[in-house]
Amino acid sequence: SIAAAVVPATVNINGKDCPVTAIGSTVFSGCTSLASIALPEGLQSIGDYAFSNCWSLQSIALPQGLQTIGNGAFNSCTSLQSITLPQGLETIGSYAFYGCTALASIDLPEGLETIGSYAFSECTSLESIALPEGLETIGSYAFYGCTALASIDLPEGLQSIGDYAFFNCWSLQSIALPEGLQTINGGTFAACTALQSVDLPSTMLEIASGVFEDADLRDVYSRAVAPPSIYDDTFSQSTYRLATLHVPAEAVEDYRSATGWVLFDHIESELPPSGIGSVAADASLATYADGTVTTTSPAGITVYAQSGAKVLHAEAATSLSLAGLPRGIYIINVEMDGQQQVMKVIH
């Protein structure tokens, strides 16, 4: 029974001190009393299932220089509430945090390239997560069953979202897919029963069968001028009957005759402002902290939901609170004396 452990920075091998750069597979697996562990600087990888079923582990800080978290590394660490992931981390393996039911939030570092299959599946307390710029791949079932997940920020440059990646995320209310993404695989957002709106990028080419099955959408925004290829069951029947499809003005007639899209009863040539998902501007005009935007001088402040809908606005204001808005990802646009600042925040 081990309650605490310290992994040394070096080990003596044949009279020579050698740096510890890896935690081997299953080393601490099943240490159900392990509540804390200190890991050395210089660690580069954590092996497969290294800490799986460490039921008492509540938090862990991973050192700078770590590049890889192996498959199932923290699988079923049911008491794990927080974890610090370092800059330089490139890969989170399959099942890495599967079943970490106490994990409420996690910050993923820039430079992360791959989230493996089932990596955060069944993390039922996870409410929000911001995915970093540079992320290329989200594996199949990566966030399957994250029933508390109300918002997720998908970065530009994302190349692949695996099958059923967000299946059964009951609390997810809106999703904006990034420019550059061309396909959505089968069942990706199926059974997301609270999903109200989805924003599809202009680069979208194909949406597979069953992607939005049982999602009770009310607004679908498609920015592609050429209607992407879809199937009759890509969206649920209630979506076809009740949702409004928003498309570019010049493409309305094409959508009205395209396979799958023709099933929408309501098609309009109205889209929210494009480009609000890109964050690029003078960062000196305003700050955001504790749910409040604060400006350096009176300014126009506009808050958009992730779908692009305007939800708050104030003129000549020096602060604006988001306290009354539901948890989620918001875009804040600040205009002052001809200058503009855009911030993407998790509220």
Side-chain angles (χ1 to χ4, degrees):
S1 178
I2 302 173
V6 177
V7 177
T10 61
V11 293
N12 190 282
I13 301 176
N14 297 326
K16 182 179 179 180
D17 287 335
C18 299
V20 174
T21 59
I23 302 292
S25 298
T26 71
V27 171
F28 295 94
S29 179
C31 292
T32 56
S33 299
L34 185 66
S36 65
I37 188 165
L39 301 176
E41 296 294 327
L43 191 67
Q44 297 176 11
S45 66
I46 296 176
D48 295 348
Y49 299 93
F51 297 96
S52 66
N53 291 303
C54 290
W55 301 335
S56 300
L57 191 64
Q58 296 184 19
S59 65
I60 188 168
L62 302 179
Q64 295 296 320
L66 185 71
Q67 298 174 7
T68 302
I69 297 176
N71 298 332
F74 296 93
N75 185 321
S76 298
C77 290
T78 53
S79 296
L80 188 65
Q81 298 177 23
S82 66
I83 187 164
T84 302
L85 301 179
Q87 297 293 323
L89 183 67
E90 297 176 356
T91 301
I92 296 176
S94 298
Y95 293 90
F97 296 96
Y98 179 92
C100 291
T101 53
L103 191 64
S105 65
I106 190 166
D107 292 327
L108 300 178
E110 290 188 10
L112 183 68
E113 298 175 355
T114 301
I115 296 175
S117 299
Y118 292 91
F120 294 95
S121 183
E122 303 292 351
C123 290
T124 53
S125 296
L126 190 65
E127 295 182 351
S128 65
I129 188 166
L131 303 180
E133 298 294 328
L135 183 69
E136 297 177 355
T137 302
I138 297 174
S140 300
Y141 295 89
F143 296 93
Y144 166 84
C146 291
T147 53
L149 187 65
S151 63
I152 190 160
D153 186 12
L154 300 177
E156 291 191 14
L158 185 65
Q159 298 176 12
S160 175
I161 302 176
D163 295 349
Y164 297 93
F166 298 95
F167 180 81
N168 229 15
C169 291
W170 300 338
S171 300
L172 193 63
Q173 297 177 20
S174 66
I175 192 78
L177 297 166
E179 288 294 323
L181 191 67
Q182 297 184 346
T183 61
I184 309 177
N185 292 320
T188 300
F189 299 100
C192 293
T193 53
L195 193 62
Q196 295 287 299
S197 68
V198 60
D199 198 328
L200 304 170
S202 64
T203 52
M204 186 61 60
L205 298 177
E206 182 178 4
I207 307 173
S209 175
V211 167
F212 297 102
E213 182 180 358
D214 295 326
D216 196 19
L217 290 163
R218 288 297 176 265
D219 289 285
V220 176
Y221 301 91
S222 181
R223 300 183 182 277
V225 173
S229 174
I230 68 171
Y231 298 81
D232 288 353
D233 64 348
T234 291
F235 297 92
S236 66
Q237 292 303 309
S238 65
T239 295
Y240 290 126
R241 291 197 317 271
L242 302 175
T244 299
L245 173 63
H246 308 262
V247 302
E250 66 270 32
V252 170
E253 294 307 316
D254 289 336
Y255 276 87
R256 284 176 175 164
S257 60
T259 300
W261 300 107
V262 70
L263 298 176
F264 277 89
D265 289 343
H266 311 285
I267 301 178
E268 294 184 359
S269 58
E270 180 183 355
L271 286 168
S274 62
I276 65 168
S278 61
V279 181
D282 182 356
S284 64
L285 304 182
T287 58
Y288 176 81
D290 299 325
T292 300
V293 186
T294 304
T295 65
T296 56
S297 297
I301 307 172
T302 307
V303 181
Y304 297 92
Q306 193 179 15
S307 66
K310 184 188 295 185
V311 293
L312 286 177
H313 179 73
E315 282 292 339
T318 56
S319 66
L320 182 62
S321 174
L322 278 63
L325 298 177
R327 293 181 63 87
I329 295 170
Y330 293 92
I331 308 299
I332 301 171
N333 184 72
V334 178
E335 295 187 9
M336 181 193 303
D337 298 329
Q339 293 181 296
Q340 185 179 39
Q341 178 179 344
V342 180
M343 295 180 286
K344 184 183 294 184
V345 303
I346 297 178
H347 166 63

